[in-house]
């Protein structure tokens, strides 16, 4: 790299920290890890008595969405992002965190409720019908938001040629479908007749949107990491999301440029908040009290953090030329070794796209994977500790099994370097 890279950051790599440049490695997912995940999900669905794939089908297979789906055929061959998202919605995908509803149901079952307050008509398989409604609302709220994010960037009209009109039509379908799901969520929220739950879930959507606009973005509106702050450990103020009032604005822009803290803030906004608040809302409708609500929120947040660590590591190794620049490997590498940020600066100065290949090598030459392994262990430990507060054993063990499966698969990517 040029002089720009050499001048960025005070904590340059020491010789004993360097690793030889490694060729991009794409690990092959083993059949055993895929089977382990399917077993964990199947067991969890059996425990809550409700296959969560039906959560999607009940909301998506109706006249409004069916009429819209007919027009999806026009998009075949255009590579519109909505097609891939539609496939993930119907088939299911860990990368889209389609287990949001299942986790909320498991947390609901694990927490239990006072059966003296309810008749048999109010619950099934240890989960209140109101809690199932919360799980559906949260999953579809996140789904609607994810569909909105599949909008194709059509600013350069001439770039797409004959496909432009089809892509524009696809964007209209994106808007209509996403808006329909979000509007239906609000209708279902009103049906719960619980103002506190409505406020909680609504602020979760607020956090999702805020996460999309946090920090800098490139011309394609992809998020960029913030310039690392060279702070001493005594000067740094760490992001403690567990202790903040989650109805207010989460975190602060002060955490941008602080590596692990920036990543935690981004993740809490984009996935941790909505999952944690979904778990908290499930406790509210069961009237389990403030302490159990807090424990459910913390558990949901840590599950989301662990999940996102896995997704970021997987993305980094399986897409070495198009990974997320705000994923955990890149953000943590830049915080520990700020000279890596020079790749971002140089692309800005030259007005050129970021060289993902060179940045990939730079990240791999740091010790970020050691830090990520430690981070993964911390999150798994936090989940195991949090679940001990929940009394129903089979649901608690199912949550732990799902977390261990994700943790193990993530380590497999790291250890195959």
């Amino acid at each position: 790299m040029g002089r720009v890279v050499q001048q960025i950051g005070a904590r340059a790599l020491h010789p004993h920290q360097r690793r030889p440049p490694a060729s991009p490695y794409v690990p092959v997912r083993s059949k055993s890890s895929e089977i382990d995940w399917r077993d964990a999900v199947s067991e969890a669905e059996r425990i809550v008595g409700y296959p969560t794939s039906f959560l999607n089908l009940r909301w998506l297979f109706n006249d409004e969405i069916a009429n819209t789906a007919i027009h999806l055929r026009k998009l075949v061959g255009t590579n519109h992002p909505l097609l891939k998202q539609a496939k993930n919605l119907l088939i299911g995908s860990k990368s889209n965190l389609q287990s949001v509803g299942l986790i909320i149901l498991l947390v609901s079952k694990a927490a239990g409720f006072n059966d003296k307050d309810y008749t048999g008509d109010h619950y099934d398989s240890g989960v209140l019908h109101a809690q199932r409604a919360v799980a559906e609302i949260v999953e579809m709220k996140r789904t609607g938001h994810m569909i909105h994010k599949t909008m194709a960037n059509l600013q350069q009209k001439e770039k797409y040629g004959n496909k432009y009109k089809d892509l524009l039509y696809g964007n209209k379908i994106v808007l209509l479908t996403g808006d329909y799901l979000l509007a239906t969520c609000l209708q279902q929220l009103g049906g719960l007749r619980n103002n506190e739950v409505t406020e909680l879930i609504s602020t979760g959507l607020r956090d999702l949107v805020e996460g999309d606009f946090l920090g800098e973005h490139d011309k394609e509106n992809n998020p960029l990491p913030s310039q690392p702050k060279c702070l001493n450990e005594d000067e740094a103020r760490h992001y403690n999301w567990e202790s903040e009032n989650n109805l207010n604005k989460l975190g602060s822009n002060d955490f941008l440029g602080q590596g692990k803290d920036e990543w935690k803030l981004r993740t809490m906004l984009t996935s941790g908040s909505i999952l944690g608040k979904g778990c908290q809302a499930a406790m509210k409708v069961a009237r389990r009290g403030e302490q159990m609500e807090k424990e459910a929120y913390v558990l949901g947040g840590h599950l989301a953090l662990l999940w996102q660590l896995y997704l970021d590591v997987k993305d980094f190794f399986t897409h070495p030329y198009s990974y997320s620049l705000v994923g955990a490997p890149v953000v943590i590498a830049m915080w520990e070794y700020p000279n890596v940020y020079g790749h971002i600066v140089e692309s800005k100065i030259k007005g050129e796209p970021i060289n993902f290949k060179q940045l990939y090598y730079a990240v791999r030459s740091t010790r970020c994977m050691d830090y990520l392994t430690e981070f993964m262990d911390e999150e798994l430990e936090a989940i195991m500790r949090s679940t001990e507060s929940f009394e129903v054993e089979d649901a608690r063990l199912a949550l732990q099994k799902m977390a261990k499966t994700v943790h193990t698969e993530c380590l497999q990517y790291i250890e195959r370097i």
Side-chain angles (χ1 to χ4, degrees), residues 233-249:
E233 186 61 30
D234 295 336
E235 298 175 333
R237 183 170 63 91
H238 298 294
Y239 179 40
N240 184 5
W241 60 271
E242 294 184 23
S243 63
E244 65 183 342
N245 182 351
N246 62 8
L247 292 179
N248 297 332
K249 180 181 182 295

Side-chain angles (χ1 to χ4, degrees), residues 335-355:
W335 169 243
E336 294 295 337
Y337 308 96
N339 58 325
V340 176
Y341 185 73
H343 294 266
I344 307 295
V345 174
E346 187 158 343
S347 70
K348 290 181 180 179
I349 293 176
K350 294 182 177 180
E352 298 176 351
I354 292 172
N355 190 320

Side-chain angles (χ1 to χ4, degrees), residues 20 31 130 203 209 220 270 279 306 317 320 357 378:
K31 291 184 179 179
T203 58
V209 175
E220 296 295 321
T270 56
C279 295
L306 179 69
F317 285 114
K357 181 179 178 180
E378 290 174 358

Side-chain angles (χ1 to χ4, degrees), residues 201-258:
I201 302 302
S202 298
T203 58
L205 180 59
R206 173 205 66 194
D207 298 334
L208 277 175
V209 175
E210 185 175 340
D212 290 339
F213 294 93
L214 184 69
E216 294 184 78
H217 291 71
D218 61 17
K219 294 180 180 179
E220 296 295 321
N221 202 36
N222 297 311
L224 294 173
S226 303
Q227 181 172 346
K229 297 176 182 177
C230 294
L231 300 175
N232 297 324
E233 186 61 30
D234 295 336
E235 298 175 333
R237 183 170 63 91
H238 298 294
Y239 179 40
N240 184 5
W241 60 271
E242 294 184 23
S243 63
E244 65 183 342
N245 182 351
N246 62 8
L247 292 179
N248 297 332
K249 180 181 182 295
L250 297 190
S252 166
N253 288 342
D254 294 340
F255 296 116
L256 296 179
Q258 288 190 206

Side-chain angles (χ1 to χ4, degrees), residues 10-144:
R11 292 179 293 231
L13 285 174
H14 298 294
H16 70 275
Q17 295 173 335
R18 294 184 181 274
R19 293 177 180 173
S23 59
Y25 170 69
V26 181
V28 178
R29 177 185 293 180
S30 65
K31 291 184 179 179
S32 61
S33 64
E34 188 68 31
I35 293 173
D36 289 342
W37 174 250
R38 287 203 303 267
D39 287 346
V41 171
S42 297
E43 181 179 338
E45 291 181 338
R46 177 184 56 78
I47 289 171
V48 298
Y50 196 67
T52 51
S53 58
F54 293 162
L55 282 147
N56 287 333
L57 297 180
R58 194 170 76 81
W59 284 61
L60 296 177
F61 285 2
N62 54 60
D63 291 341
E64 288 84 354
I65 298 298
N67 289 333
T68 303
I70 292 174
H71 300 287
L72 282 175
R73 289 178 296 182
K74 294 183 179 180
L75 301 182
V76 175
T78 64
N79 292 325
H80 194 287
L82 177 59
L83 293 174
K84 182 179 180 181
Q85 191 64 267
K87 177 183 176 182
N88 289 337
L89 287 175
L90 296 177
I91 297 177
S93 169
K94 261 189 293 185
S95 62
N96 281 336
L97 200 61
Q98 286 300 301
S99 299
V100 163
L102 179 57
I103 289 173
I104 295 174
L105 293 177
L106 279 175
V107 172
S108 300
K109 175 73 178 285
F113 57 87
N114 188 351
D115 54 10
K116 295 181 181 179
D117 296 335
Y118 304 95
T119 67
D121 294 335
H122 290 103
Y123 61 89
D124 181 40
S125 299
V127 181
L128 295 172
H129 297 315
Q131 291 175 319
R132 294 193 188 279
V134 169
E136 291 180 345
I137 289 167
V138 172
E139 183 160 316
M140 287 300 104
K141 187 176 284 286
R142 178 169 168 79
T143 298

Side-chain angles (χ1 to χ4, degrees), residues 310-322:
Y310 159 75
L311 295 176
D312 287 353
V313 170
K314 176 186 175 184
D315 181 46
F316 183 76
F317 285 114
T318 57
H319 303 97
Y321 302 113
S322 61

